[in-house]
């Protein structure tokens, strides 16, 4: 098992940061890269035309490695909503067909489907919260021959209940439904392989568990959709874009693979090198190792929560990285203010306190949280 990686980060001793699901910190190394890339912009003559392509190439490789894909299957997007808009633009839904989403799913993975439903006459079916926390069974039983799209995640963003995407992928393929995933709340913390799940589209933001910058993420597009329509018609996605002298020789063809789906100005000279560095760290540590480490922390959270009679989701259906403590009638106001006074950072989502440790946390952070919670209850 890996050890706590706090030495890589700049987190002061009096801060207990258990909120990666809100926003992950950069490493000190990624921040140094960012300072350098800002300095580089003081001297645009130091930015070569080849950088427009080489800088994103590093991101494609690291992102592909993370999910067992090919670099040519990855495109750079500025947000999850952008990536999901690519999926919504390219998937066909017929009148009367259903688009499945989970109850209280993150809105970026809901609004695009509402719009698609309005345009096509398809309808949204929302899978209700399962009483037994078994989202996988609930989603599987909702997928049928009339399903056009299954738009889900592999853990519920509010409390970390887990979904078995291998099973969901299998059932989606069996009924010819498209599988679209937003893995923002787990990628980098829980293993995921496109080889095992075979989604049509998978999108993630980089600024949480991938410890990357804001306004930067990526989409995996399955090769069967590589002839699809991009959201933008950027010069940089077209054939021969490398030839800056001849860009006005307009080309009908795009570059191969998923290149056509890249956002305009994908070669973000400040964010892309930071993102590549963060992805490289996650790959070097190994997501399996990270998941095992985080599981040891969420298990400790469970033990401490149960010891003081708090209600945590069933461990059988829980993601390794994210855990919700449910307060039923809402989290008492004074708890949030006590935690803030003690510089303990967690999120309140719905009726739960959401605790999301990452590689810079250790058991002492968990103990500090529960010592304060115990006193405040
Ligand atoms: C599950 C999930 N998806 C996506 C996002 C961010 O979406 P966007 O990039 O569209 O702002 C968040 C942010 O909290 C999230 O929790």
């Amino acid at each position: 098992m890996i050890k706590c990686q706090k030495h890589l980060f700049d987190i002061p001793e009096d801060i207990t940061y258990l909120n990666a699901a809100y926003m992950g910190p950069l490493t000190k190394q990624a921040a140094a890269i960012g300072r350098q890339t800002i300095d580089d912009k003081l001297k645009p003559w130091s930015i070569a035309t080849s950088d427009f392509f080489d800088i994103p190439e590093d991101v494609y490789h690291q992102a592909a490695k993370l999910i067992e894909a090919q670099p040519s299957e990855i495109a750079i997007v500025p947000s999850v909503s952008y990536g999901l808009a690519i999926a919504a633009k390219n998937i066909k839904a017929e009148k009367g067909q259903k688009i499945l989403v989970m109850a209280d799913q993150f809105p970026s993975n809901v609004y695009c489907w509402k719009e698609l439903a309005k345009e096509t006459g398809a309808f949204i079916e929302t899978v209700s919260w399962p009483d037994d926390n078994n989202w996988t069974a609930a989603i599987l039983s909702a997928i049928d021959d009339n399903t056009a799209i299954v738009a889900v995640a592999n853990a519920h963003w509010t409390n970390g209940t887990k979904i078995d995407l291998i099973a969901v992928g299998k059932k989606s393929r069996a009924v010819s439904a498209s599988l679209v995933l937003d893995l923002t709340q787990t990628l980098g913390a829980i293993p995921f392989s496109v080889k095992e799940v075979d989604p049509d589209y998978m999108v993630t933001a980089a600024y949480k568990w991938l410890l990357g910058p804001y306004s930067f993420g990526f989409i995996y597009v399955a090769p069967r959709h590589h002839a699809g329509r991009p959201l933008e018609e950027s010069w940089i996605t077209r054939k021969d874009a490398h030839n800056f002298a001849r860009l006005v020789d307009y080309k009908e063809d795009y570059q191969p693979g998923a290149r056509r789906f890249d956002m305009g100005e994908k070669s973000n000279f400040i964010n892309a090198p930071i993102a590549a560095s963060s992805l490289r760290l996650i790959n070097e540590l190994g997501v399996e190792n990270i998941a095992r480490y985080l599981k040891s922390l969420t298990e400790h959270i469970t033990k401490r929560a149960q010891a003081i009679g708090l209600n945590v989701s069933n461990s059988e259906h829980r993601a390794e990285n994210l855990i919700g403590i449910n307060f039923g009638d809402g989290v008492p106001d004074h708890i949030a203010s006590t935690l803030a006074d003690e510089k303990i950072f967690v999120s309140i989502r719905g009726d739960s306190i959401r605790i999301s440790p990452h590689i810079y946390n250790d058991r002492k952070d968990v103990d500090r949280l529960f010592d304060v919670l115990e006193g405040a209850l």
Side-chain angles (χ1 to χ4, degrees):
M1 183 150 77
I2 58 166
K3 295 201 174 79
C4 176
Q5 302 291 316
K6 192 167 178 177
H7 57 284
L8 301 178
F9 297 85
D10 189 15
I11 303 176
E13 278 311 310
D14 63 335
I15 299 283
T16 304
Y17 192 69
L18 288 159
N19 212 3
Y22 163 70
M23 187 170 300
L26 293 184
T27 61
K28 288 183 270 193
Q29 191 190 13
I33 289 171
R35 278 183 215 107
Q36 180 61 52
T37 55
I38 288 177
D39 278 353
D40 291 346
K41 189 68 172 75
L42 291 168
K43 307 175 207 115
W45 52 90
S46 71
I47 299 172
T49 55
S50 56
D51 290 340
F52 282 75
F53 303 93
D54 294 347
I55 286 175
E57 200 61 40
D58 201 10
V59 174
Y60 302 138
H61 275 84
Q62 293 302 329
K65 191 168 176 198
L66 186 71
I67 61 170
E68 289 201 298
Q70 296 300 319
S72 61
E73 295 162 351
I74 306 289
I76 294 173
V77 295
S79 64
V80 172
S81 46
Y82 184 107
L84 291 168
I86 294 173
K89 181 165 178 170
N90 284 286
I91 296 176
K92 295 213 168 13
E94 306 290 339
K95 190 164 189 249
Q97 278 194 306
K98 71 176 160 188
I99 302 172
L100 272 191
V101 300
M102 294 188 287
D104 301 329
Q105 185 154 289
F106 192 79
S108 293
N109 200 8
V110 176
Y111 289 130
C112 56
W113 307 121
K114 282 185 180 277
E115 291 305 310
L116 187 68
K118 271 191 232 159
E119 284 161 24
T120 59
F123 68 97
I124 305 279
E125 184 172 303
T126 305
V127 183
S128 307
W129 277 95
D131 291 337
D132 58 357
N133 281 315
N134 190 344
W135 272 113
T136 308
I139 294 168
L140 289 178
S141 70
I143 300 174
D144 60 21
D145 289 340
N146 192 36
T147 309
I149 302 167
V150 180
V152 293
N154 60 350
H156 202 287
W157 72 292
T158 60
N159 73 351
T161 35
K162 203 171 178 175
I163 296 108
D164 174 356
L165 290 183
I166 298 180
V168 172
K170 209 164 152 196
K171 180 98 189 256
S172 301
R173 281 191 300 284
V175 299
S176 302
S178 298
L179 178 63
V180 184
L181 303 174
D182 166 14
L183 299 192
T184 300
Q185 285 297 2
T186 50
L187 211 62
I190 300 184
F192 170 80
S193 163
V194 296
K195 288 193 178 141
E196 289 175 346
V197 175
D198 190 16
D200 289 274
Y201 300 86
M202 187 288 292
V203 192
T204 184
Y207 72 93
K208 295 176 188 278
W209 299 93
L210 294 173
L211 306 170
Y214 194 68
S215 303
F216 204 88
F218 68 88
I219 182 169
Y220 161 83
V221 181
R224 55 189 174 274
H225 301 301
H226 285 183
R229 299 270 320 274
L231 281 193
E232 304 173 44
E233 299 298 346
S234 164
W235 64 272
I236 203 167
T237 59
R238 296 281 171 147
K239 188 167 185 274
D240 297 336
H242 296 70
N243 187 355
F244 277 44
R246 299 303 327 156
L247 291 178
V248 293
D249 293 347
Y250 308 121
K251 294 290 189 295
E252 282 300 307
D253 292 340
Y254 295 95
Q255 288 163 43
R259 283 295 66 79
R260 67 181 60 198
F261 300 109
D262 276 318
M263 67 183 187
E265 302 194 8
K266 63 160 181 183
S267 337
N268 187 317
F269 301 112
I270 294 169
N271 272 348
I274 300 175
S277 153
S278 305
L279 287 165
R280 189 171 295 108
L281 171 70
I282 302 275
N283 280 327
E284 279 168 6
L285 289 172
V287 182
E288 301 257 354
N289 297 328
I290 294 174
R292 211 168 302 127
Y293 182 70
L294 299 183
K295 187 163 189 237
S296 74
L297 294 180
T298 41
E299 278 173 354
H300 189 50
I301 291 169
T302 307
K303 220 169 71 198
R304 292 270 340 228
Q306 286 172 342
I308 52 174
L310 294 174
N311 184 14
V312 290
S313 57
N314 181 342
S315 61
E316 198 193 337
H317 303 296
R318 193 191 313 129
E320 288 85 341
N321 62 329
L322 195 58
I323 184 164
I325 297 183
N326 190 274
F327 280 78
D329 295 332
V331 181
D333 285 345
H334 74 279
I335 295 217
S337 55
T338 305
L339 292 176
D341 290 347
E342 293 291 330
K343 300 189 186 169
I344 296 173
F345 294 87
V346 291
S347 287
I348 295 184
R349 294 289 179 269
D351 294 334
S352 294
I353 293 184
R354 184 183 67 184
I355 307 166
S356 50
H358 210 334
I359 49 174
Y360 39 78
N361 292 117
D362 60 14
R363 287 164 70 104
K364 277 189 288 183
D365 293 325
V366 174
D367 286 334
R368 184 145 185 270
L369 164 69
F370 280 95
D371 290 349
V372 170
L373 269 181
E374 220 169 334
L377 283 173

